[in-house]
Amino acid sequence: MPPINEPILIDTAQYLLHPFGAQDIKNIARLSKDIQQLFPSKRPHTYLPHKQLADAGQAEALLHIALFHQFNGTRQWYFITDKTSQHTIGMIELISPGDAKTHYQLAHYPHILEFCLSKDHIGKGIMSKVLPQFVKRLKEKGIQQLGAVVHPNNLKAIKVLQKSGIDQQAHFDAVSRLYHN
């Protein structure tokens, strides 16, 4: 994982990608509401069903778990914040190879990426701008092997991964494919 003292920041005209950290705890109530909008239980979340959240309380619990993983060195969450509204509209999760081994059955374990946007921000090119820059920064920090587990019908995710240089396919399971570089 990238060292905590060297965060990856991507600053565009409208959005800021920044790591989740202890400094965000002071805004946990607002952040929990934003995170719940990323993973609402009322809208079927076809591609990340394990992250459906019924309420802000579940979102807050997920944030505490994410913070634990960060300090444990197993995962790092990065938020995409709209500069105008100051709301979190998306996230990228970087999962270490060691943690990936506890969840996935692979021949080789790269760092795994999970990413999403709120429903109001899908299809606006946000992730297509942010993820390639994020992948470039990871590579500059020495994280060369990246992958993502993607459902073959999630064409938008596949397109943004390809644009990020994560374009090789491998079998994952009966439903999904592993994309890697």
Side-chain angles (χ1 to χ4, degrees), residues 20 43 79 96 100 106-107 133 164-165 170:
F20 173 51
R43 175 182 64 139
F79 294 134
S96 72
L106 304 172
Q133 291 180 54
S164 302

Side-chain angles (χ1 to χ4, degrees), residues 16-124:
L16 176 67
L17 177 100
H18 56 96
F20 173 51
Q23 73 281 358
D24 294 305
I25 294 299
K26 65 183 177 209
N27 298 318
I28 197 81
R30 179 194 50 78
L31 191 53
S32 295
K33 289 178 184 174
D34 290 351
I35 295 303
Q36 184 188 3
Q37 296 302 310
L38 294 177
F39 307 111
S41 63
K42 293 177 183 155
R43 175 182 64 139
H45 208 293
T46 306
Y47 305 119
L48 292 173
H50 60 287
K51 289 189 175 165
Q52 290 182 340
L53 304 171
D55 56 40
Q58 285 184 353
E60 184 173 338
L62 184 63
L63 288 168
H64 285 283
I65 292 167
L67 197 56
F68 171 78
H69 281 295
Q70 173 193 335
F71 287 107
N72 196 356
T74 57
R75 295 174 182 228
Q76 174 68 62
W77 278 26
Y78 290 84
F79 294 134
I80 302 170
T81 300
D82 181 295
K83 288 180 172 181
T84 304
S85 70
Q86 292 298 306
H87 285 282
T88 299
I89 58 146
M91 58 91 54
I92 300 172
E93 183 175 8
L94 180 64
I95 303 169
S96 72
D99 197 35
K101 286 179 184 178
T102 65
H103 301 283
Y104 302 108
Q105 301 263 331
L106 304 172
H108 170 72
Y109 290 92
H111 282 80
I112 300 289
L113 297 169
E114 289 186 357
F115 54 94
C116 68
L117 291 167
S118 68
K119 69 176 182 171
D120 295 336
H121 295 87
I122 293 171
K124 296 183 178 182

